[in-house]
Amino acid sequence: DSLPYSIRVLFESSVRNCDGFLVKETDAMNILDWKTKQNRVEVPFCPARVVLQDFTGIPAMVDFAAMREAVRNAGGDPAKVNPACPTDLTVDHSLQIDFSKCAIQNAPNPGGGEQKPLARLSPLKPPLRKPPPCRGHSGCRSSCGTGEASRSSGPFSAQIENTPILCPFHLQPVPEPETVLKNQEMEFGRNRERLQFFKWSSKVFENISIIPPETGTAHQVNLEYLSRVVFDVKNFLHPDSVVGTDSHTTMVNGLGILGWGVGGIETEAVMLGMPLTLTLPEVVGCELTGTVSPFATSIDIVLSITKHLRQADVAGKFVEFFGSGVSQLSIADRTTIANMCPEYGAILSFFPVDNVTLKHLKHTGFDKAKLEVTEAYLKAVKLFRSNESSSGEPEYSQVVEVSLSSIIPYVSGPKRSQDRVAVNNMKSDFQACLNEKSGVKGFQIAAEKQNDVVPVQYEGNEYKLSHGCVVIAAVISCTNNCNPSVMLAAGLLAKKAVEAGLVVKPYIRTSLSPGSGMVTHYLSSSGVLPYLSKLGFEIVGYGCSTCVGNTAPLPEAIRNAIKQGDIIACGVLSGTKNFEGCLCDCVRANYLASPPLVVAYAIAGTVQIDFNTEPLGTGSNGKSIYLRDIWPTRQELHTVEEECVISSMFKELKEKMEKGNKRWNLLEAPESTLFPWDLKSTYIRCPSFFDKLAKEAVPPAAVENAHVLLFLGDSVTTDHISPAGSIARSSAAAKYLTSKGLTPREFNSYGARRGNDAVMTRGTFANIKLLNKFIGKPAPKTVHFPSGQTLDVFEAAELYQKEGIPVIILAGKKYGLGSSRDWAAKGPFLLGVKAVLAESYEKVHRSQLIGIGIAPLQFRPGENPSTLGLTGREQFSILFPPDMSPRMTLDIKTSTGKVFSVIALFENNMEITLYKNGGSLNFVARRFL
C-alpha cells in the first residue's frame, strides 16, 4: 500500500512475466522491497507493447531486415526473426513544409534506386484570403472552403480520408486546403522508397502494425488510439504499459499508463522478447497544491514544473504526481506535463488513474462495460488513486511541492527549454541576452549594434528587420495539440485579432501542423480555423515538421538581410526543441511558447515587446490593440471546448485511422521473406552491424593508443551528434548523395535517410553548431592529428580507420542531452569510436552507447580534462578486464605517461553482457543461432 503507483506497475509486470530466466522471483521481491532496494538493484521490465515513429522506426526495421539476412547467412531460419512484443509504427516524422500559406517551393522527388522521379510541380497562385462568407448559405461544398484553389481539379483535389475539414458554420465536409494536399503529395513522392519498405514490413513481419502517413504524430496516436489503460487478452487483464523510440512516449503517463522513451537499440531487444533492464529507480513525489490561475495555460504549468523538477535533479528518476491540485488538472493538462518530462531529465512522470481519467475515457469512446471492467480491475490490484483523501498517499524518495497558484505565463529560450522567461520580462531578458557573452543564453552583440535596423524589400513592400524580429512562428504537433484548451485559445485569439483588424507580416514563416485529424476537427467545428488561416497559420500537414528542422527555407531576401546585418532573428514555436540553429541556420534565438502566444508574437513581429504597456498593432479603427484586448477568457475556452471536443470525434477518428488512406492503400510493396535490397538506393541500405556475427561472442579488446576524435564541452545534445534536419550542401553526407547523382533539392533530411547507414555515418557530428575545442568555433570539423589536417569529422574518422587507429571522444557534463536518437550511438560506432569519456551523461544516451558497443566512461567526481591537465592531443590506452562489474574503476594511460582512473558506467550485469557481445543487436541475433 505504501509503494508508489508507478512501482506497483513494475511489480505487477515482474509477477506476471516471472519465468525463472529472464525474470526471476528475486526480481519481483526486490521491487516489492523498493524502499530499501531503490538505486541498489537492477530489475527487468516487460512492457505490454512498443511504439515506434518512422525516424527511429526505419533503422529499427532495417536492422530487423538485416538481422534476417545475417541469420540466413549463418545457417538460421530468417522467418523466425519477428517482433515478440506487439509493436505499432506510426509514419509521422517525414512531413516537410514545402508549402506554406499555399506558396509552392519547387522540389522534385529525390528518387533513388530504380524509381522514376515525379514530375515537377508548377507554382500556383496563393488562394485569396476572404472573410468567412457563408453564414447565409444553405450548402457548403461550393460556397465555403479555403479559397478557389482548394476546389481546383487535378491530383491534389481529392480529399484525404482521415483528415476531415468542416465548414465552420454548417459543419459540412469541404475539400482539404491546397497546402495540406500538396505537402502530402510531396511527402509520398520523396519518401516512396521508405514507405514501400514500411509496407513490406507490415506484410512479412508478424506482430507489427504500420500506421500510415497523415494520420498523426506517434505520441498523439499513442494517446488517442493505441492506449488501452488495461489490456484484455483473451479475458486475461493486465495494465497497459509501453516503451517507444520517441522520447515523448511519456505522454501516456498522463493517462495512468507507464511508458517512456528508450533508444532504438533497446527497443529492438524488447521487440524480440527481451525485458528492458533498469536500475530500480527513485520516485520523486510531486505534490500539486493551490488553484490554477485563469491566465495560465497548460504550457505555463509545464514550464513551471520543468523548472522545479530540474532544480530538484530528477534525472534518471520516476516522478509521480499527487496532492489536491492533481484533480484540478484535466487529462489534456496531465498528458502535456507528462510529455515534457524528457526535458527535465526524468525517466517518466506518472499520473495514476483516478476519476478524472475514467471521465475522460468515457468521453473518448470507451463503452460502459469496458469502463466498469477497467475500474474494477485497477481497484482490485491497487492501481486506482482515490481523490477523496490524501492520508493514504504512497511514500516517496523525496517530495517536491509546486503551488499552482503561483504560476504565471512563461516562454522558454532562447536556446534551452529549461531557461524560462516570464512573458512580462521578455523584452528586458532578450536585451540581456544580446549583452551576454556567447553561451547558453547570450549572443554577445556590441552595444552600438544592438539597435541596428536592416531594411528589406519583400513582395513589393519595405520592411525593417531588427534584433528580436520574429521570422518563424509555428503551432506544431509536438507537445500542445493533446490539449484542446491551448489550441482553441490560439484559434480564439486569432479570431479576435482578425476581427480587430490585426495582421501578420507576410515574410514570417507561419504554419499550423496539428497532431491528428481530431485537432483539425475541433478547430473547424469551433469556427476558428478560417481566422488562423487569415493570419497565415494554415494547416501544412499532420506530423513533426518545424520541431525537427523540417521547415521550408526562409525567403531569400529575408535570409540575406539577417546574415548581412548579423541580426538575431527569432523563431517562436509551441514545441519542445529550441536548440540554437535547430529551426534554421540563420535563426539563432528560438522560444518555446503556448500556441496563443505563438500567434501573439507573430502578430507583434518581434519578441522585444512588453505586452502590458505596448500594443500588438493598430486595429482597423485606428486604435491600438493590446494583448489583453484579444486574450480569450477561461470561460470562453471552457464553453468552446465542451461544445467541440466530444466523444464522437474520437470515435470517428479511430474508424478513419483503421481505414488508412488512399495513397497508402494503393502503394505496392514486395512480400518476400528477405527484403530485396536495391544497391542503387540512397534511402534503404543493409547496415554493417552484423558483418562479424558469430555464434560465440568475442571479449572486448583493449583500446590502445587511441586518438581523440572530438574534444567537446557541456550539454552536447543528440542533435549535435546526429542532426535530424536538412542536409547542408557542404557536408560529407551531401558529397555522398551528390556522388549518387542527386541534386541539393533531392537531399531530403537526415531523419528521412536514417535507413541508410552511409548517409547517417557521414551526418554524425555534422551539426553546424558543434563546438569542438580543437577548432575553437562552431563547425562540424576536427583535427586529424597524424597529418595535422583540419577535416570534416567523417573524413578524419575515415582516415583514422584506414590507418587502424582507434578513436575516443572527450566531453563535459550531460553528454547526450535531448531526444533519444539511436544514430547518436550508431553513428559514432561506425566512425570507429571505442569509448566516450565524459563528466556525466543523459541516461538514455548512456544506455544506447552500451547497446551499440561503445564504452561510456566517466571522470571521477571533481575531475575533468582541465583538472587532469589533458589537452586532447594525447593518445589514450584503456584495458578492459575479463571479469567486469557494474561501475567498476578502470585506469587510462596516456602517451605522455599520465595515468588516471575513470568509472565504467555499466549499471548492471545485463549491460556488461550486452557490451561483451558487441551490443544488443548482436546479442539478440545470436539467440536465433
Side-chain angles (χ1 to χ4, degrees):
D1 289 337
S2 63
L3 286 179
Y5 289 89
S6 51
I7 298 300
R8 299 180 197 184
V9 178
L10 294 182
F11 179 57
E12 188 280 339
S13 173
S14 67
V15 172
R16 175 165 42 89
N17 291 288
C18 184
D19 62 358
F21 176 58
L22 293 174
V23 183
K24 302 176 182 178
E25 183 177 337
T26 53
D27 296 322
M29 300 311 295
N30 283 336
I31 298 173
L32 190 60
D33 192 21
W34 168 82
K35 294 175 189 176
T36 60
K37 296 293 178 66
Q38 58 183 288
N39 260 348
R40 293 178 52 195
V41 298
E42 59 186 68
V43 294
F45 175 55
C46 300
R49 56 191 174 92
V50 168
V51 294
L52 307 170
Q53 44 89 345
D54 56 313
F55 265 21
T56 47
I58 193 162
M61 298 313 301
V62 167
D63 288 346
F64 264 68
M67 191 181 296
R68 280 193 166 194
E69 199 91 26
V71 168
R72 191 276 308 269
N73 293 340
D77 181 2
K80 290 183 178 180
V81 180
N82 289 294
C85 183
T87 301
D88 301 286
L89 190 154
T90 303
V91 184
D92 73 328
H93 274 48
S94 58
L95 175 68
Q96 293 189 36
I97 305 175
D98 294 285
F99 311 107
S100 179
K101 304 180 185 177
C102 290
I104 296 178
Q105 311 289 325
N106 267 335
N109 171 58
E114 298 297 327
Q115 180 187 336
K116 296 181 180 180
L118 293 177
R120 292 174 181 264
L121 299 175
S122 299
L124 300 178
K125 293 181 180 179
L128 298 175
R129 302 187 188 282
K130 301 178 181 178
C134 68
R135 285 185 181 275
H137 290 263
S138 58
C140 295
R141 289 196 177 276
S142 62
S143 56
C144 55
T146 58
E148 293 300 317
S150 67
R151 297 191 293 274
S152 62
S153 61
F156 302 116
S157 60
Q159 179 154 352
I160 302 301
E161 292 181 12
N162 63 330
T163 53
I165 298 289
L166 306 183
C167 163
F169 303 106
H170 295 95
L171 306 186
Q172 298 298 314
V174 298
E176 280 280 8
E178 183 185 12
T179 305
V180 177
L181 294 174
K182 294 186 184 302
N183 280 316
Q184 290 173 354
E185 186 75 8
M186 288 298 294
E187 179 177 6
F188 268 81
R190 69 159 54 91
N191 294 293
R192 183 172 298 274
E193 277 190 67
R194 298 169 64 246
L195 297 178
Q196 287 176 327
F197 176 77
F198 284 136
K199 195 74 177 279
W200 170 80
S201 299
S202 68
K203 290 181 176 181
V204 304
F205 287 113
E206 300 173 4
N207 222 11
I208 187 167
S209 63
I210 307 290
I211 297 169
E214 304 310 328
T215 303
T217 62
H219 32 288
Q220 193 78 18
V221 171
N222 188 19
L223 179 72
E224 296 176 12
Y225 178 63
L226 302 176
S227 295
R228 284 84 151 173
V229 183
V230 172
F231 257 77
D232 184 346
V233 183
K234 298 180 180 178
N235 292 323
F236 182 80
L237 304 175
H238 62 83
D240 190 1
S241 58
V242 60
V243 294
T245 54
D246 192 284
S247 58
H248 300 288
T249 304
T250 51
M251 179 186 280
V252 296
N253 288 279
L255 270 181
I257 298 170
L258 196 74
W260 66 95
V262 296
I265 300 164
E266 303 98 302
T267 304
E268 291 173 42
V270 173
M271 290 167 66
L272 286 166
M274 292 182 61
L276 190 70
T277 302
L278 71 160
T279 301
L280 190 60
E282 295 180 42
V283 182
V284 177
C286 185
E287 183 176 13
L288 303 182
T289 61
T291 304
V292 179
S293 162
F295 294 102
T297 68
S298 296
I299 306 309
D300 300 319
I301 297 171
V302 166
L303 295 177
S304 179
I305 290 174
T306 296
K307 179 181 179 181
H308 280 86
L309 294 178
R310 274 206 175 272
Q311 292 173 340
D313 188 22
V314 297
K317 303 174 184 177
F318 284 10
V319 173
E320 187 168 297
F321 292 87
F322 72 102
S324 59
V326 173
S327 59
Q328 299 176 47
L329 302 182
S330 67
I331 292 300
D333 293 330
R334 298 178 187 190
T335 52
T336 308
I337 292 168
N339 192 28
M340 281 291 279
C341 86
E343 311 305 324
Y344 47 80
I347 298 176
L348 56 86
S349 292
F350 191 70
F351 289 85
V353 175
D354 60 9
N355 288 323
V356 175
T357 316
L358 295 180
K359 184 178 179 180
H360 170 81
L361 296 176
K362 181 180 179 181
H363 288 162
T364 56
F366 272 49
D367 59 45
K368 183 179 179 181
K370 186 174 182 179
L371 275 174
E372 290 176 350
V373 169
T374 297
E375 181 177 4
Y377 168 74
L378 292 173
K379 287 181 175 179
V381 295
K382 300 184 179 181
L383 288 174
F384 188 88
R385 183 180 180 275
S386 172
N387 298 322
E388 298 173 359
S389 173
S390 61
S391 59
E393 298 290 3
E395 296 180 16
Y396 295 104
S397 308
Q398 68 181 94
V399 172
V400 176
E401 183 178 348
V402 177
S403 172
L404 300 179
S405 307
S406 65
I407 296 174
I408 59 175
Y410 282 89
V411 296
S412 183
K415 301 181 183 181
R416 303 188 305 176
S417 60
Q418 64 264 38
D419 294 327
R420 298 194 315 150
V421 183
V423 173
N424 291 342
N425 300 331
M426 180 65 158
K427 185 174 183 178
S428 58
D429 187 83
F430 184 80
Q431 190 64 41
C433 291
L434 294 181
N435 289 319
E436 284 187 29
K437 291 183 178 180
S438 294
V440 294
K441 286 199 71 172
F443 296 104
Q444 200 169 350
I445 302 298
E448 65 272 13
K449 292 183 176 292
Q450 292 180 10
N451 295 319
D452 284 359
V453 175
V454 180
V456 59
Q457 289 288 331
Y458 183 71
E459 293 186 348
N461 295 308
E462 182 175 282
Y463 299 93
K464 295 180 179 179
L465 301 184
S466 58
H467 296 299
C469 61
V470 174
V471 294
I472 295 176
V475 177
I476 57 178
S477 58
C478 199
T479 299
N480 310 300
N481 297 356
C482 65
N483 194 319
S485 67
V486 291
M487 291 297 289
L488 289 171
L492 290 173
L493 187 144
K495 179 176 183 292
K496 292 185 175 185
V498 170
E499 290 171 344
L502 296 176
V503 297
V504 174
K505 293 179 178 67
Y507 62 78
I508 298 177
R509 183 69 72 191
T510 51
S511 60
L512 170 62
S513 179
S516 71
M518 190 209 74
V519 180
T520 302
H521 213 82
Y522 65 67
L523 289 177
S524 299
S525 59
S526 63
V528 300
L529 202 55
Y531 299 98
L532 285 163
S533 178
K534 183 76 174 178
L535 294 180
F537 290 94
E538 289 189 341
I539 296 176
V540 296
Y542 300 84
C544 292
S545 50
T546 306
C547 203
V548 293
N550 283 353
T551 190
L554 295 176
E556 194 69 23
I558 303 301
R559 288 175 61 91
N560 291 340
I562 292 172
K563 290 183 177 180
Q564 290 170 8
D566 194 24
I567 296 296
I568 306 299
C570 298
V572 185
L573 62 154
S574 59
T576 61
K577 295 177 180 64
N578 62 334
F579 304 121
E580 185 177 2
C582 72
L583 303 186
C584 178
D585 59 0
C586 64
V587 180
R588 293 157 63 185
N590 298 300
Y591 288 93
L592 307 181
S594 63
L597 282 176
V598 171
V599 177
Y601 279 112
I603 295 170
T606 180
V607 299
Q608 291 216 66
I609 182 172
D610 183 341
F611 286 133
N612 289 328
T613 61
E614 299 177 63
L616 290 172
T618 303
S620 53
N621 59 3
K623 294 183 179 180
S624 295
I625 306 296
Y626 293 82
L627 182 59
R628 57 179 174 270
D629 299 328
I630 61 173
W631 190 270
T633 66
R634 288 185 70 85
Q635 184 57 46
E636 286 176 307
L637 286 172
H638 179 75
T639 301
V640 175
E641 189 174 346
E642 285 294 316
E643 293 175 356
C644 301
V645 186
I646 54 177
S647 60
S648 62
M649 291 182 179
F650 283 87
K651 182 178 179 180
E652 184 177 353
L653 175 65
K654 290 178 181 179
E655 291 173 354
K656 292 182 181 298
M657 289 170 73
E658 290 168 356
K659 292 179 182 178
N661 64 57
K662 291 180 180 178
R663 288 190 182 94
W664 174 260
N665 294 340
L666 294 175
L667 188 67
E668 295 182 356
E671 299 184 12
S672 53
T673 300
L674 298 176
F675 184 71
W677 306 99
D678 182 352
L679 298 180
K680 297 180 181 179
S681 174
T682 57
Y683 275 103
I684 308 295
R685 211 175 88 125
C686 188
S688 57
F689 302 124
F690 302 103
D691 285 357
K692 298 180 181 179
L693 179 66
K695 290 187 177 181
E696 300 298 328
V698 179
V703 178
E704 297 182 353
N705 298 317
H707 272 295
V708 176
L709 181 65
L710 292 160
F711 191 179
L712 308 171
D714 297 339
S715 300
V716 173
T717 69
T718 51
D719 196 62
H720 286 119
I721 304 169
S722 183
S726 59
I727 298 172
R729 296 187 180 190
S730 60
S731 66
K735 296 173 186 176
Y736 167 81
L737 293 173
T738 300
S739 73
K740 298 295 182 181
L742 274 65
T743 66
R745 283 185 178 181
E746 299 168 326
F747 287 171
N748 211 326
S749 65
Y750 283 113
R753 293 192 181 273
R754 285 187 178 181
N756 185 323
D757 62 316
V759 172
M760 297 309 295
T761 306
R762 287 164 172 80
T764 304
F765 296 111
N767 191 304
I768 60 170
K769 298 300 180 182
L770 181 75
L771 184 56
N772 180 7
K773 294 183 180 181
F774 294 147
I775 304 301
K777 62 181 181 180
K781 303 284 186 180
T782 194
V783 176
H784 176 252
F785 287 108
S787 67
Q789 298 179 81
T790 297
L791 302 169
D792 285 340
V793 175
F794 171 78
E795 292 171 346
E798 190 176 38
L799 272 182
Y800 280 126
Q801 291 196 42
K802 288 179 179 178
E803 296 161 348
I805 301 174
V807 292
I808 66 170
I809 292 171
L810 292 182
K813 301 180 181 70
K814 297 182 179 178
Y815 180 78
L817 196 67
S819 299
S820 167
R821 290 184 184 169
D822 60 334
W823 272 108
K826 289 178 177 178
F829 174 79
L830 293 179
L831 289 179
V833 174
K834 303 301 182 184
V836 177
L837 178 53
E839 292 182 64
S840 64
Y841 293 83
E842 191 75 12
K843 184 178 178 65
V844 171
H845 186 65
R846 180 202 62 83
S847 64
Q848 284 188 318
L849 291 175
I850 297 169
I852 198 62
I854 296 176
L857 309 178
Q858 182 172 288
F859 290 104
R860 293 188 302 185
E863 294 184 349
N864 56 48
S866 179
T867 62
L868 293 171
L870 301 176
T871 66
R873 298 175 181 273
E874 307 90 345
Q875 288 182 271
F876 295 75
S877 296
I878 310 165
L879 177 65
F880 295 94
D883 298 324
M884 298 172 63
S885 59
R887 299 185 70 87
M888 69 181 300
T889 299
L890 300 176
D891 288 335
I892 295 181
K893 184 177 181 180
T894 72
S895 54
T896 61
K898 181 183 291 292
V899 178
F900 61 97
S901 298
V902 297
I903 302 167
L905 284 188
F906 301 105
E907 299 291 354
N908 49 60
N909 290 325
M910 175 58 78
E911 289 186 346
I912 293 173
T913 300
L914 293 179
Y915 179 72
K916 287 182 174 180
N917 274 269
S920 58
L921 292 177
N922 282 279
F923 175 76
V924 171
R926 285 190 178 96
R927 297 182 65 202
F928 292 107
L929 300 178

